[in-house]
Amino acid sequence: MPRKIIIDTDPGQDDAVAILLALASPEEIEVLGITTVAGNVPLELTAKNARIICELAGKPDVKVYAGCDRPMAKTLVTAEHVHGQTGLNGPKLPDPVMDLQDGHGVDFIIDTLRAEPAGTVTLCPLGPLTNIATAFERAPDIIEKVQEIVLMGGAYFEVGNITPAAEFNIYVDPEAAEITFRSGVPIVVMPLDVTHKALVTPARNDAFRALGTPVGTAVAEMTDFFERFDKEKYGSEGAPLHDPCVTAYLIRPELFTGRHINVEIEVISDLTRGMTVADWWGVTDRAPNAMFMGDIDADGFFALLTERLARL
């Protein structure tokens, strides 16, 4: 049986690829709906971009809901400097025709978890955790019904990408991250330590373009745009595909290795706000609360991604 998931996202080129991979993999994944959150760009654009990607995939029947337009306790920080003013800079994609669903994304999360059998729905946050934490705060009865949370966020060895200490998704709403990590739900984390090893090299991007499809071309053009930031900042070969690591894990978990450790979120210090304090070496007595991934089979990851994108 395919795994039932809700994708919570702030597209973002890498979010877009994660969504495409999920929609191309119906044997393993059933997308119950997509909720959007303010993050890489403001909510109005993330809600629009999610629908653009569904239509690019030929899946206009996917339910897309707009969620929270700001963090729980701080001013919104966005990342147009990375993703461009639209969030999907690179390809020229038409505005969506499909409608945004009525209702709030948080209500969709709550209603879905209450309606589905306990332990059958996985939450897949690809952006700030505002929608997830808000749902948990508003309806604590749903927490025990979540099968698992598989998220992209945080870092340990790679430290920060938006501040010296913090990864962007966690930094945008650390209060929401703290609520999520302390919820007791089983959590799998794809930190920068993994995603910075999932680099779109020229050869890998050529493979996307060689698919000769609108999806393959769009993905290649997204990473052509996206990579300029990381090449300049890190001197890397290409763009890291952060968020598709979440989807790939649902399909082929054996591509990833990590440790079940304690992860706490720093919410007090101005210096390290949003830091994921990961006890990788087991030097505290804090109970493990997350499977924190540390490595990826990058060749296997890109082989899977190229094979699945070819279906769309």
Side-chain angles (χ1 to χ4, degrees), residues 20 53 56 90-91 93 208 213-224:
L20 291 169
I53 297 307
L56 175 64
L93 298 171
F208 295 149
T213 62
V215 166
T217 300
V219 169
E221 291 176 348
M222 285 182 202
T223 53
D224 281 340

Side-chain angles (χ1 to χ4, degrees), residues 7 9-25 29 40 49-50 52-54 56-57 83 87-88 91 93 126 198 200 205 208 211 215-224 226 239-248 251 301-302 304-306 308-309 312:
I7 298 174
T9 181
D10 62 338
Q13 291 91 347
D14 56 321
D15 305 70
V17 180
I19 294 167
L20 291 169
L21 179 57
L23 296 178
S25 305
I29 296 171
N40 286 323
N49 291 347
I52 288 173
I53 297 307
C54 289
L56 175 64
H83 299 279
L88 290 181
L93 298 171
L126 310 178
V200 185
N205 215 30
F208 295 149
L211 294 176
V215 166
T217 300
V219 169
E221 291 176 348
M222 285 182 202
T223 53
D224 281 340
F226 187 41
L241 281 183
H242 306 285
D243 295 327
C245 291
V246 168
T247 318
I251 300 168
F301 170 78
F302 279 97
L304 171 66
L305 189 51
T306 305
R308 294 301 170 93
L309 293 180
L312 297 174

Side-chain angles (χ1 to χ4, degrees), residues 148-149 151 177-189 259-265 277-279 286-292:
E148 191 171 43
I149 296 172
L151 67 89
E178 182 181 45
I179 290 167
T180 303
F181 275 82
R182 291 186 174 180
S183 67
V185 175
I187 296 176
V188 176
V189 183
R259 296 182 182 181
H260 191 225
I261 62 172
N262 179 268
V263 180
E264 300 290 337
I265 311 299
V277 183
D279 188 11
R286 294 194 291 265
N289 62 347
M291 175 59 73
F292 200 83

Side-chain angles (χ1 to χ4, degrees), residues 2-50:
R3 189 164 178 174
K4 297 177 181 179
I5 72 168
I6 296 173
I7 298 174
D8 186 66
T9 181
D10 62 338
Q13 291 91 347
D14 56 321
D15 305 70
V17 180
I19 294 167
L20 291 169
L21 179 57
L23 296 178
S25 305
E27 303 96 332
E28 295 92 358
I29 296 171
E30 179 184 352
V31 179
L32 300 178
I34 296 174
T35 55
T36 66
V37 66
N40 286 323
V41 288
L43 181 67
E44 181 180 358
L45 286 173
T46 63
K48 176 182 178 181
N49 291 347

Side-chain angles (χ1 to χ4, degrees), residues 6 8 35 67-68 72 104-114 123 129-144 146 149 173 176 179-180 183 185:
I6 296 173
D8 186 66
T35 55
C68 296
M72 299 182 84
H104 197 282
V106 169
D107 293 326
F108 172 74
I109 293 170
I110 293 170
D111 293 345
T112 302
L113 285 167
R114 284 175 172 168
L123 302 178
L129 289 158
T130 315
N131 286 339
I132 306 302
T134 302
F136 286 179
E137 290 273 274
R138 191 175 297 171
D141 59 288
I142 68 173
I143 294 174
E144 65 181 15
V146 179
I149 296 172
D173 198 341
I179 290 167
T180 303
S183 67
V185 175

